[in-house]
């Protein structure tokens, strides 16, 4: 992560970041307010305060997704705010349609709750409660700006909720659509249809953005790429169906001894094709794993080459049987950030399985299918 990315809070164990590009948005809002014909200190102040309210609303929206996912036992790594919105990095998307539906709806639901709270505050202040696009344009032009700010924020939350509910997969509404389709169709087919519709929306966003708001162009690109990624993931998963880790087993396991040093690991990394190593104790029992990333990290943290591997390696090995489903292995690898899973039968190590070997297996599989 860039050093301009700011960690602003940690809520319920989930770190919340402002991505470095977010400062561009702040600059844009500040400058466009400052150079508008109504540029008074008051005007710029209320514009920036509206941005703060909006950011808090988006973070709460993402926390809605995160808490719903948590209820199904799915952790969230972090929430990052980009100029075009927030992204909650949920460890995985639930495969059960009902669960995906609930997690997708939890975000917009938070915005509707916020609107309720804002309306109650307005009513307590003796003001009527309604949405007002006019307030958005008037904000900062004098006269009781606090209530105008409340109207503006409620309206922004309404726009946020409705925009997110558009069936533009993988935005929230698109996830709802996929979940509904997946209740009737195979998961991969449901994803392909939802992704196609999502990319249609993405093109519309980009075209509309050219004539109105540049952030709509950003959102369009984001949706287009993300839809393609999710379709690819679903297709990959589908291709793994019916296979076990035995099919993608890497039998020649690169190993290191726990008595060796970081220097030995660096030499082996440079002199071989291996990207990660299984660390064995003197009896030949597996005690840890060491990946290229861990070696680099250890060096950048100031560890010397004479450091024993036991201080650098990851001691949490994940072990599976050769009959373990391949798609589950793939999910474990990406969810747990492990370089590989150790495949054992009884006490015997058969080999390891990593994402690269799984990808290779799938490519071979596909090439043979195309030939047939
Ligand atoms: Zn959302």
């Amino acid at each position: 992560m860039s050093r301009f990315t700011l960690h602003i809070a940690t809520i319920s164990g989930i770190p919340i970041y402002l991505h470095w590009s977010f400062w561009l948005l702040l600059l844009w809002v500040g400058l466009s307010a400052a150079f508008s014909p109504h540029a008074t200190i008051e005007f710029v102040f209320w514009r920036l305060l509206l941005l703060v309210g909006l950011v808090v609303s988006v973070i709460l929206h993402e926390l809605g997704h995160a808490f719903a996912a948590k209820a199904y036992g799915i952790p969230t790594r972090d929430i990052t705010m980009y100029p075009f919105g927030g992204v909650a990095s949920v460890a995985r998307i639930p495969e059960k349609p009902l669960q995906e539906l609930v997690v997708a709806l939890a975000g917009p639901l938070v915005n509707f709750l916020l609107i309720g709270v804002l309306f109650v505050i307005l009513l307590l202040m003796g003001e009527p409660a309604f949405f007002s696009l006019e307030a958005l344009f008037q904000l900062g032009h004098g006269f009781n700006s606090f209530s105008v700010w409340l109207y503006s924020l409620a309206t922004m939350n309404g726009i946020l909720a409705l925009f997110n509910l558009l069936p533009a997969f993988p935005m929230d509404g698109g996830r709802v659509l996929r979940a509904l389709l997946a209740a009737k169709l195979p998961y991969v087919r449901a994803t392909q249809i939802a992704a196609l519709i999502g990319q249609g929306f993405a093109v519309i966003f980009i075209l509309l953005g050219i004539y109105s708001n540049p952030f709509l162009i950003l959102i369009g690109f984001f949706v287009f790429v993300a839809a393609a990624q999710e379709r690819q993931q679903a297709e990959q998963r589908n291709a793994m169906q019916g296979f076990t880790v035995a099919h993608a087993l890497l039998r020649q396991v690169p190993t290191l001894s726990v008595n060796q040093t970081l220097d030995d690991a660096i030499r082996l990394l440079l002199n071989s094709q291996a990207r990660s190593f299984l660390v064995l104790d003197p009896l030949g029992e597996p005690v840890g794993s060491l990946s290229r990333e861990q070696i680099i990290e250890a060096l950048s943290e100031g560890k010397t080459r004479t450091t024993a591997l036991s201080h650098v390696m990851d001691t949490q090995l994940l072990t599976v049987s050769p009959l373990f489903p391949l798609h589950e292995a793939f999910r474990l690898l990406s969810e747990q950030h492990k370089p590989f899973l150790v495949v054992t039968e009884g006490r015997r190590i058969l080999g390891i399985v990593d994402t690269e070997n799984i990808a290779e297996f799938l490519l071979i599989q596909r090439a043979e299918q195309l030939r047939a």
Side-chain angles (χ1 to χ4, degrees):
M1 226 168 254
S2 158
R3 67 199 166 99
F4 295 109
T5 293
L6 186 70
H7 176 209
I8 50 169
T10 297
I11 295 173
S12 181
I14 304 166
I16 298 168
Y17 299 105
L18 286 187
H19 190 250
W20 64 266
S21 59
F22 192 85
W23 304 115
L24 297 177
L25 176 67
L26 200 64
L27 201 68
W28 189 69
V29 171
L31 285 181
S32 62
F35 284 102
S36 86
H38 332 283
T40 58
I41 294 287
E42 201 196 358
F43 183 73
V44 177
F45 170 78
W46 283 107
R47 287 286 130 174
L48 289 177
L49 206 62
L50 180 62
L51 181 66
V52 171
L54 187 60
V55 167
V56 171
S57 304
V58 173
I59 289 175
L60 292 175
H61 170 114
E62 298 304 327
L63 281 172
H65 291 308
F67 286 145
K70 200 176 174 183
Y72 294 120
I74 304 168
T76 300
R77 273 192 291 276
D78 60 64
I79 290 173
T80 304
M81 295 295 302
Y82 297 92
F84 53 82
V87 175
S89 305
V90 179
R92 67 187 157 88
I93 303 300
E95 280 141 23
K96 293 201 178 96
L98 182 67
Q99 293 188 0
E100 177 168 45
L101 192 76
V102 172
V103 173
L105 288 176
L109 182 69
V110 170
N111 297 113
F112 289 125
L113 290 176
L114 279 174
I115 292 168
V117 171
L118 291 168
F119 278 179
V120 167
I121 297 175
L122 279 166
L123 290 171
L124 289 176
M125 287 168 61
E127 309 252 14
F130 54 81
F131 293 113
S132 167
L133 275 177
E134 213 190 333
L136 266 182
F137 294 108
Q138 278 183 1
L139 184 64
H141 294 302
F143 57 88
N144 194 6
S145 284
F146 181 60
S147 57
V148 181
W149 181 77
L150 291 174
Y151 282 118
S152 303
L153 197 55
T155 308
M156 288 298 260
N157 267 284
I159 294 171
L160 205 64
L162 293 183
F163 183 71
N164 273 288
L165 284 172
L166 286 176
F169 186 78
M171 281 172 34
D172 300 339
R175 292 207 179 282
V176 171
L177 173 69
R178 198 248 310 255
L180 293 177
L181 289 170
K184 292 260 173 247
L185 297 170
Y187 191 75
V188 65
R189 192 79 201 107
T191 307
Q192 285 166 338
I193 295 170
L196 193 68
I197 296 173
Q199 290 188 320
F201 269 97
V203 171
I204 295 172
F205 291 164
I206 292 169
L207 291 178
L208 284 177
I210 292 170
Y211 295 104
S212 58
N213 190 330
F215 287 106
L216 211 46
I217 303 177
L218 266 180
I219 295 171
F221 275 112
F222 177 76
V223 168
F224 196 92
V225 172
Q229 273 174 355
E230 294 237 2
R231 190 192 56 225
Q232 198 189 2
Q233 273 169 21
E235 285 169 352
Q236 237 174 19
R237 196 191 129 81
N238 191 50
M240 281 183 245
Q241 217 58 258
F243 294 108
T244 66
V245 294
H247 289 101
L249 188 65
L250 186 69
R251 286 177 190 278
Q252 288 176 351
V253 186
T255 58
L256 282 161
S257 159
V258 72
N259 296 326
Q260 286 179 291
T261 60
L262 196 53
D263 188 52
D264 297 318
I266 293 167
R267 282 168 198 276
L268 200 54
L269 185 69
L270 291 174
N271 293 335
S272 74
Q273 294 277 338
R275 303 168 297 273
S276 48
F277 308 94
L278 185 63
V279 184
L280 304 173
D281 72 4
L283 298 172
E285 293 287 326
V287 286
S289 66
L290 188 67
S291 67
R292 175 168 59 192
E293 289 69 29
Q294 281 169 317
I295 294 172
I296 305 296
E297 202 182 302
L299 285 174
S300 62
E301 277 171 2
K303 294 223 165 56
T304 60
R305 284 184 178 235
T306 53
T307 310
L309 288 186
S310 53
H311 294 295
V312 186
M313 68 184 189
D314 175 4
T315 54
Q316 305 284 313
L317 283 176
L318 288 182
T319 308
V320 295
S321 95
L323 296 177
F324 194 70
L326 196 57
H327 65 89
E328 289 292 327
F330 192 77
R331 187 168 70 84
L332 261 183
L333 283 166
S334 51
E335 234 177 88
Q336 306 283 331
H337 288 282
K338 296 289 180 189
F340 53 75
L341 306 177
V342 183
V343 185
T344 57
E345 200 168 40
R347 292 184 56 81
R348 204 159 62 92
I349 302 171
L350 299 180
I352 58 172
V353 64
D354 62 9
T355 46
E356 198 133 333
N357 231 43
I358 294 177
E360 246 167 40
F361 169 74
L362 291 178
L363 283 174
I364 292 165
Q365 215 38 48
R366 230 181 103 189
E368 282 185 330
Q369 270 172 9
L370 288 177
R371 196 189 55 194

